[in-house]
Amino acid sequence: SMHWLHSHGGKHHQVLSAWLTLLFLGLPVISRTVCSSFRCDVFDGGDLGDFRYLASDTALDCDTIRYKGMVVFALANVIIYPIGCPLLLFVILFKFKDRLNPGDKPEDEVIAQRKEDPVLAADPVTNFSMLYRPAYWWYEVYNMLRRLMLTCAVLLCNDLAETTVLVISVAVVTLVIEEEAKAYLNPYLTAFTHTCCWQIVLFALYLLLLDAQ
């Protein structure tokens, strides 16, 4: 019956939406684990030459066939997770851009219209855009990239100084963007996000003070 289809379709939508939420929340952790596969530390072996071991697991020699196979597997996962997930989310949201943000209507009217749109309601991915003002329908993609910068991009840094500069730069730029955009519909969520951005900046500065001592 139609009632059975509607109820089961709704349950499927909820399950898929919850699964996507968990995936995007866990994306930085998964991506950092994957990207850790490329970072090897070099140890001086004297007359035997240098030895390279995986930084996250020094039991693994980076010059072995086993490690090279792991790198191939990690490269595939880089395409799937830190590159593929933000790209896929943007492509899907871009498909609904005209429904998420019709540029010729007032913002309040668009927000009310989005809530009643059956096409948007039928797609679990568009739920990520409902937290934001219409003009910022892409903002969840930005949030994913910001978290990846703070968790994965730091692995590209060679020392503490480079890591500190990168973290502070990302934190300050993020703080400015959050302050100027005010992309969230909920003002309390805006205030909470702003506080979290300040927390990252202050924590990085605190670590600098500790290091200075």
Side-chain angles (χ1 to χ4, degrees):
S1 65
M2 291 298 294
H3 176 72
W4 185 90
L5 289 173
H6 177 75
S7 62
H8 282 68
K11 290 179 181 178
H12 175 73
H13 180 282
Q14 292 176 356
V15 170
L16 184 57
S17 180
W19 181 83
L20 288 172
T21 301
L22 290 175
L23 174 63
F24 292 136
L25 286 175
L27 179 64
V29 178
I30 297 172
S31 299
R32 183 178 176 85
T33 302
V34 171
C35 293
S36 296
S37 302
F38 306 108
R39 191 180 181 95
C40 293
D41 288 336
V42 180
F43 297 90
D44 185 3
D47 295 337
L48 298 176
D50 294 336
F51 295 95
R52 298 191 311 129
Y53 292 96
L54 189 65
S56 58
D57 182 8
T58 52
L60 184 57
D61 189 337
C62 292
D63 295 317
T64 60
I65 298 297
R66 179 188 173 193
Y67 173 73
K68 290 178 172 59
M70 189 183 75
V71 167
V72 173
F73 180 72
L75 285 171
N77 280 276
V78 165
I79 297 173
I80 294 172
Y81 290 107
I83 295 177
C85 285
L87 181 61
L88 179 62
L89 179 60
F90 178 79
V91 169
I92 294 175
L93 292 178
F94 186 81
K95 183 175 67 173
F96 297 100
K97 184 187 68 163
D98 293 336
R99 290 180 177 271
L100 291 168
N101 181 37
D104 56 343
K105 296 181 180 180
E107 186 176 86
D108 292 341
E109 183 180 339
V110 173
I111 294 171
Q113 180 181 316
R114 292 192 311 183
K115 294 178 181 178
E116 304 298 328
D117 193 323
V119 176
L120 296 179
D123 194 299
V125 178
T126 57
N127 287 338
F128 292 104
S129 290
M130 297 303 182
L131 293 172
Y132 308 105
R133 293 161 52 197
Y136 297 94
W137 55 270
W138 45 267
Y139 211 71
E140 188 61 31
V141 179
Y142 154 75
N143 270 328
M144 292 174 67
L145 294 175
R146 174 183 61 83
R147 289 178 305 196
L148 290 172
M149 286 290 293
L150 290 172
T151 54
C152 298
V154 292
L155 295 174
L156 299 174
C157 300
N158 296 317
D159 52 37
L160 179 60
E162 291 183 7
T163 302
T164 303
V165 170
L166 176 62
V167 170
I168 292 180
S169 299
V170 173
V172 170
V173 170
T174 298
L175 180 62
V176 173
I177 291 175
E178 293 288 349
E179 177 66 25
E180 294 298 322
K182 292 183 171 58
Y184 293 92
L185 289 175
N186 189 328
Y188 295 103
L189 192 55
T190 298
F192 175 75
T193 305
H194 192 220
T195 302
C196 289
C197 292
W198 267 112
Q199 184 181 22
I200 296 173
V201 174
L202 293 176
F203 182 71
L205 293 176
Y206 172 71
L207 291 179
L208 281 177
L209 289 175
L210 288 180
D211 190 58
Q213 293 176 357

